[in-house]
Amino acid sequence: MFGIVRPCRHRLSESLKVQWMAHLCGLCLALRGDHGQFARVVTNYDGLLISVLTEAQTDLRAGKEGGGRRTAGPCPLRGMRTASVAHGEGARLAAAVSLVLASAKVRDHVADGDGLLARRPVALAARRVAASWGKAGERTGLDVGFDTAVLVDAVDRQLGIEALAGPGTGILTVTEPTETATAAAFAHTAVLAGRPGNAEPLAEAGRLFGRLAHLLDAVEDREADAVSGAWNPLTATGTPLTEARRLADDALHGIRLALREVEFTDGRLAHLLLAHELRNSVDRAFGTSSCSHRPEAYGPPPGNPYAPSGPGGPPLPPEPPRRDRRGLLAGCLVWAGLACTCQMCCGEYDDPWSRERREGLCRQCDCDCSGCGDCCNCCDCCGNCCDGCDCGCDC
């Protein structure tokens, strides 16, 4: 699954984690409902921001169609559990945008001849899939009043700009089509939510988000593109990483300022993703720390094994081993059941033998939030602190 806004579950409070999963599952089901099972492969982290923004501006108690919840049936990716998921025009707009942008991404990989796409039969099949996704996204966009022509035009202009770009070309000239496309998508969430006054600041936030997405993608792919000989905007324009980082930081600041002008009904999740998690995405792309609350900040001084290891005192002793372990054969049977329902991949499950609670592979993360304490939940418990982001939370 692709996207630059990939929040770590350690940085989400329980309520915000439930909301985020509701939008992720809602996007996936909207794709399946309108375009079939295969369309679900374009589910992405950034696309669900459209659904999040729509719901954040919608008064669900008023019964507006821009958002809402429904109970979805069991899904293997949720460990065969039901769940409350987002649905409505916000999820469908997210699906339309995801399809059109995924179509463009596939065409871009075909043009670059990446991997298997360098083979003519595979490239031909990929072009057909991309064309199908583009048409499907256009249909869904029209259903919710969004003209995807602005996205298609941006993609077409992007190819022309990249063909002409070279040393001395401004990097913002290269990112402009992406900025225009995301600005239009963000602004239309205000239309769906019935808040036209939010369209302008959301367009600005979307424009800067598109700039960030383009820059971070270029930074993360720079070394791989150099090895493969693929086109990279930073390399082609001669833009140094220091300049890319400056532009990324400016975009982050601009997004925060734009969000302050938006009238939200409940903007906690939108703020967390677009203010805090985007900062973590930038840090991750540039190889800097993504969490300021490092465990070593509270660690014991060297040579003093009895010093407290955290703000609350010494760590608790480990729990004694469980005595109700399953035998070999019983554990193997349980393991087979967990594997067949995909819980070992994308759910939470009890270890087949030790019965200890574990998480599936796709839910694991490589961040170290062991020192974060409760500060990472500030956007769920500090009242109005997130309106101005003055709560002192840096996570």
Side-chain angles (χ1 to χ4, degrees), residues 66-88:
R69 288 286 190 273
R70 71 176 181 86
T71 300
C75 175
L77 299 183
R78 291 193 299 268
M80 299 307 294
R81 292 191 293 265
T82 61
S84 175
V85 302
H87 80 111

PDB file of all heavy atoms in Angstrom, residues 66-88:
ATOM      1  N   GLY A  66     -22.332  13.600   3.001  1.00  0.00           N
ATOM      2  CA  GLY A  66     -20.895  13.639   2.787  1.00  0.00           C
ATOM      3  C   GLY A  66     -20.139  12.611   3.587  1.00  0.00           C
ATOM      4  O   GLY A  66     -18.991  12.309   3.299  1.00  0.00           O
ATOM      5  N   GLY A  67     -20.726  12.062   4.613  1.00  0.00           N
ATOM      6  CA  GLY A  67     -20.034  11.085   5.424  1.00  0.00           C
ATOM      7  C   GLY A  67     -21.026  10.251   6.191  1.00  0.00           C
ATOM      8  O   GLY A  67     -22.238  10.390   6.053  1.00  0.00           O
ATOM      9  N   GLY A  68     -20.525   9.387   7.042  1.00  0.00           N
ATOM     10  CA  GLY A  68     -21.383   8.521   7.826  1.00  0.00           C
ATOM     11  C   GLY A  68     -20.678   7.224   8.131  1.00  0.00           C
ATOM     12  O   GLY A  68     -19.506   7.024   7.781  1.00  0.00           O
ATOM     13  N   ARG A  69     -21.351   6.357   8.804  1.00  0.00           N
ATOM     14  CA  ARG A  69     -20.794   5.065   9.190  1.00  0.00           C
ATOM     15  C   ARG A  69     -21.794   3.963   8.858  1.00  0.00           C
ATOM     16  O   ARG A  69     -23.005   4.162   8.886  1.00  0.00           O
ATOM     17  CB  ARG A  69     -20.507   5.024  10.689  1.00  0.00           C
ATOM     18  CG  ARG A  69     -19.326   5.862  11.147  1.00  0.00           C
ATOM     19  CD  ARG A  69     -18.015   5.205  10.751  1.00  0.00           C
ATOM     20  NE  ARG A  69     -16.889   5.873  11.374  1.00  0.00           N
ATOM     21  CZ  ARG A  69     -16.284   6.915  10.869  1.00  0.00           C
ATOM     22  NH1 ARG A  69     -16.710   7.431   9.724  1.00  0.00           N
ATOM     23  NH2 ARG A  69     -15.254   7.458  11.489  1.00  0.00           N
ATOM     24  N   ARG A  70     -21.264   2.814   8.535  1.00  0.00           N
ATOM     25  CA  ARG A  70     -22.071   1.616   8.399  1.00  0.00           C
ATOM     26  C   ARG A  70     -21.244   0.455   8.908  1.00  0.00           C
ATOM     27  O   ARG A  70     -20.002   0.532   8.996  1.00  0.00           O
ATOM     28  CB  ARG A  70     -22.485   1.370   6.950  1.00  0.00           C
ATOM     29  CG  ARG A  70     -21.362   0.932   6.019  1.00  0.00           C
ATOM     30  CD  ARG A  70     -21.899   0.628   4.634  1.00  0.00           C
ATOM     31  NE  ARG A  70     -20.857   0.187   3.708  1.00  0.00           N
ATOM     32  CZ  ARG A  70     -20.457  -1.081   3.584  1.00  0.00           C
ATOM     33  NH1 ARG A  70     -20.992  -2.022   4.349  1.00  0.00           N
ATOM     34  NH2 ARG A  70     -19.517  -1.405   2.715  1.00  0.00           N
ATOM     35  N   THR A  71     -21.903  -0.627   9.256  1.00  0.00           N
ATOM     36  CA  THR A  71     -21.197  -1.812   9.738  1.00  0.00           C
ATOM     37  C   THR A  71     -20.875  -2.720   8.566  1.00  0.00           C
ATOM     38  O   THR A  71     -21.767  -3.173   7.845  1.00  0.00           O
ATOM     39  CB  THR A  71     -22.047  -2.568  10.764  1.00  0.00           C
ATOM     40  OG1 THR A  71     -22.328  -1.698  11.866  1.00  0.00           O
ATOM     41  CG2 THR A  71     -21.297  -3.794  11.271  1.00  0.00           C
ATOM     42  N   ALA A  72     -19.587  -2.963   8.371  1.00  0.00           N
ATOM     43  CA  ALA A  72     -19.137  -3.837   7.291  1.00  0.00           C
ATOM     44  C   ALA A  72     -19.025  -5.268   7.812  1.00  0.00           C
ATOM     45  O   ALA A  72     -18.779  -5.508   8.995  1.00  0.00           O
ATOM     46  CB  ALA A  72     -17.795  -3.368   6.751  1.00  0.00           C
ATOM     47  N   GLY A  73     -19.193  -6.211   6.913  1.00  0.00           N
ATOM     48  CA  GLY A  73     -19.116  -7.621   7.275  1.00  0.00           C
ATOM     49  C   GLY A  73     -17.695  -8.063   7.564  1.00  0.00           C
ATOM     50  O   GLY A  73     -16.740  -7.283   7.454  1.00  0.00           O
ATOM     51  N   PRO A  74     -17.525  -9.333   7.948  1.00  0.00           N
ATOM     52  CA  PRO A  74     -16.186  -9.847   8.252  1.00  0.00           C
ATOM     53  C   PRO A  74     -15.255  -9.734   7.053  1.00  0.00           C
ATOM     54  O   PRO A  74     -15.660  -9.913   5.908  1.00  0.00           O
ATOM     55  CB  PRO A  74     -16.447 -11.322   8.613  1.00  0.00           C
ATOM     56  CG  PRO A  74     -17.886 -11.381   8.991  1.00  0.00           C
ATOM     57  CD  PRO A  74     -18.575 -10.356   8.144  1.00  0.00           C
ATOM     58  N   CYS A  75     -13.998  -9.407   7.317  1.00  0.00           N
ATOM     59  CA  CYS A  75     -12.985  -9.274   6.268  1.00  0.00           C
ATOM     60  C   CYS A  75     -11.709  -9.970   6.740  1.00  0.00           C
ATOM     61  O   CYS A  75     -11.310  -9.809   7.902  1.00  0.00           O
ATOM     62  CB  CYS A  75     -12.704  -7.803   5.974  1.00  0.00           C
ATOM     63  SG  CYS A  75     -11.361  -7.532   4.794  1.00  0.00           S
ATOM     64  N   PRO A  76     -11.058 -10.753   5.879  1.00  0.00           N
ATOM     65  CA  PRO A  76      -9.813 -11.416   6.282  1.00  0.00           C
ATOM     66  C   PRO A  76      -8.747 -10.442   6.753  1.00  0.00           C
ATOM     67  O   PRO A  76      -7.958 -10.765   7.648  1.00  0.00           O
ATOM     68  CB  PRO A  76      -9.368 -12.142   5.006  1.00  0.00           C
ATOM     69  CG  PRO A  76     -10.617 -12.357   4.232  1.00  0.00           C
ATOM     70  CD  PRO A  76     -11.468 -11.159   4.520  1.00  0.00           C
ATOM     71  N   LEU A  77      -8.701  -9.244   6.176  1.00  0.00           N
ATOM     72  CA  LEU A  77      -7.686  -8.274   6.569  1.00  0.00           C
ATOM     73  C   LEU A  77      -7.961  -7.648   7.927  1.00  0.00           C
ATOM     74  O   LEU A  77      -7.112  -6.938   8.463  1.00  0.00           O
ATOM     75  CB  LEU A  77      -7.564  -7.186   5.504  1.00  0.00           C
ATOM     76  CG  LEU A  77      -7.152  -7.680   4.121  1.00  0.00           C
ATOM     77  CD1 LEU A  77      -7.000  -6.518   3.162  1.00  0.00           C
ATOM     78  CD2 LEU A  77      -5.869  -8.479   4.192  1.00  0.00           C
ATOM     79  N   ARG A  78      -9.158  -7.886   8.478  1.00  0.00           N
ATOM     80  CA  ARG A  78      -9.460  -7.454   9.848  1.00  0.00           C
ATOM     81  C   ARG A  78      -9.580  -8.653  10.767  1.00  0.00           C
ATOM     82  O   ARG A  78     -10.209  -8.568  11.824  1.00  0.00           O
ATOM     83  CB  ARG A  78     -10.774  -6.663   9.883  1.00  0.00           C
ATOM     84  CG  ARG A  78     -10.742  -5.316   9.214  1.00  0.00           C
ATOM     85  CD  ARG A  78     -11.984  -4.500   9.576  1.00  0.00           C
ATOM     86  NE  ARG A  78     -13.209  -5.157   9.151  1.00  0.00           N
ATOM     87  CZ  ARG A  78     -13.805  -4.952   7.987  1.00  0.00           C
ATOM     88  NH1 ARG A  78     -13.275  -4.094   7.138  1.00  0.00           N
ATOM     89  NH2 ARG A  78     -14.904  -5.587   7.670  1.00  0.00           N
ATOM     90  N   GLY A  79      -9.003  -9.782  10.365  1.00  0.00           N
ATOM     91  CA  GLY A  79      -9.106 -10.979  11.197  1.00  0.00           C
ATOM     92  C   GLY A  79     -10.517 -11.523  11.245  1.00  0.00           C
ATOM     93  O   GLY A  79     -10.941 -12.054  12.270  1.00  0.00           O
ATOM     94  N   MET A  80     -11.258 -11.384  10.112  1.00  0.00           N
ATOM     95  CA  MET A  80     -12.634 -11.880  10.018  1.00  0.00           C
ATOM     96  C   MET A  80     -13.544 -11.247  11.060  1.00  0.00           C
ATOM     97  O   MET A  80     -14.442 -11.890  11.596  1.00  0.00           O
ATOM     98  CB  MET A  80     -12.671 -13.409  10.118  1.00  0.00           C
ATOM     99  CG  MET A  80     -11.911 -14.134   9.027  1.00  0.00           C
ATOM    100  SD  MET A  80     -12.398 -13.614   7.349  1.00  0.00           S
ATOM    101  CE  MET A  80     -14.090 -14.187   7.276  1.00  0.00           C
ATOM    102  N   ARG A  81     -13.301  -9.983  11.346  1.00  0.00           N
ATOM    103  CA  ARG A  81     -14.168  -9.260  12.281  1.00  0.00           C
ATOM    104  C   ARG A  81     -14.972  -8.214  11.520  1.00  0.00           C
ATOM    105  O   ARG A  81     -14.526  -7.685  10.500  1.00  0.00           O
ATOM    106  CB  ARG A  81     -13.341  -8.576  13.372  1.00  0.00           C
ATOM    107  CG  ARG A  81     -12.655  -9.525  14.327  1.00  0.00           C
ATOM    108  CD  ARG A  81     -12.092  -8.763  15.510  1.00  0.00           C
ATOM    109  NE  ARG A  81     -11.010  -7.890  15.106  1.00  0.00           N
ATOM    110  CZ  ARG A  81      -9.731  -8.226  15.163  1.00  0.00           C
ATOM    111  NH1 ARG A  81      -9.383  -9.418  15.596  1.00  0.00           N
ATOM    112  NH2 ARG A  81      -8.784  -7.380  14.781  1.00  0.00           N
ATOM    113  N   THR A  82     -16.157  -7.891  12.028  1.00  0.00           N
ATOM    114  CA  THR A  82     -16.928  -6.783  11.472  1.00  0.00           C
ATOM    115  C   THR A  82     -16.321  -5.469  11.956  1.00  0.00           C
ATOM    116  O   THR A  82     -15.505  -5.443  12.884  1.00  0.00           O
ATOM    117  CB  THR A  82     -18.397  -6.859  11.897  1.00  0.00           C
ATOM    118  OG1 THR A  82     -18.467  -6.778  13.334  1.00  0.00           O
ATOM    119  CG2 THR A  82     -19.033  -8.171  11.427  1.00  0.00           C
ATOM    120  N   ALA A  83     -16.714  -4.383  11.342  1.00  0.00           N
ATOM    121  CA  ALA A  83     -16.171  -3.082  11.740  1.00  0.00           C
ATOM    122  C   ALA A  83     -17.095  -1.980  11.254  1.00  0.00           C
ATOM    123  O   ALA A  83     -17.817  -2.132  10.267  1.00  0.00           O
ATOM    124  CB  ALA A  83     -14.771  -2.882  11.171  1.00  0.00           C
ATOM    125  N   SER A  84     -17.047  -0.859  11.969  1.00  0.00           N
ATOM    126  CA  SER A  84     -17.744   0.341  11.540  1.00  0.00           C
ATOM    127  C   SER A  84     -16.837   1.072  10.560  1.00  0.00           C
ATOM    128  O   SER A  84     -15.692   1.399  10.887  1.00  0.00           O
ATOM    129  CB  SER A  84     -18.060   1.235  12.742  1.00  0.00           C
ATOM    130  OG  SER A  84     -18.636   2.452  12.327  1.00  0.00           O
ATOM    131  N   VAL A  85     -17.327   1.322   9.334  1.00  0.00           N
ATOM    132  CA  VAL A  85     -16.491   1.922   8.294  1.00  0.00           C
ATOM    133  C   VAL A  85     -17.167   3.173   7.745  1.00  0.00           C
ATOM    134  O   VAL A  85     -18.391   3.329   7.815  1.00  0.00           O
ATOM    135  CB  VAL A  85     -16.229   0.925   7.144  1.00  0.00           C
ATOM    136  CG1 VAL A  85     -15.561  -0.331   7.668  1.00  0.00           C
ATOM    137  CG2 VAL A  85     -17.514   0.570   6.412  1.00  0.00           C
ATOM    138  N   ALA A  86     -16.344   4.076   7.195  1.00  0.00           N
ATOM    139  CA  ALA A  86     -16.862   5.301   6.583  1.00  0.00           C
ATOM    140  C   ALA A  86     -17.501   4.973   5.240  1.00  0.00           C
ATOM    141  O   ALA A  86     -17.032   4.107   4.506  1.00  0.00           O
ATOM    142  CB  ALA A  86     -15.735   6.308   6.401  1.00  0.00           C
ATOM    143  N   HIS A  87     -18.584   5.657   4.932  1.00  0.00           N
ATOM    144  CA  HIS A  87     -19.202   5.486   3.626  1.00  0.00           C
ATOM    145  C   HIS A  87     -19.862   6.804   3.230  1.00  0.00           C
ATOM    146  O   HIS A  87     -19.967   7.742   4.017  1.00  0.00           O
ATOM    147  CB  HIS A  87     -20.232   4.349   3.654  1.00  0.00           C
ATOM    148  CG  HIS A  87     -21.561   4.731   4.232  1.00  0.00           C
ATOM    149  ND1 HIS A  87     -22.694   4.824   3.481  1.00  0.00           N
ATOM    150  CD2 HIS A  87     -21.913   5.072   5.500  1.00  0.00           C
ATOM    151  CE1 HIS A  87     -23.710   5.175   4.267  1.00  0.00           C
ATOM    152  NE2 HIS A  87     -23.261   5.328   5.485  1.00  0.00           N
ATOM    153  N   GLY A  88     -20.286   6.869   2.000  1.00  0.00           N
ATOM    154  CA  GLY A  88     -20.925   8.095   1.519  1.00  0.00           C
ATOM    155  C   GLY A  88     -20.079   8.779   0.462  1.00  0.00           C
ATOM    156  O   GLY A  88     -19.157   8.192  -0.121  1.00  0.00           O
TER     157      GLY A  88
END
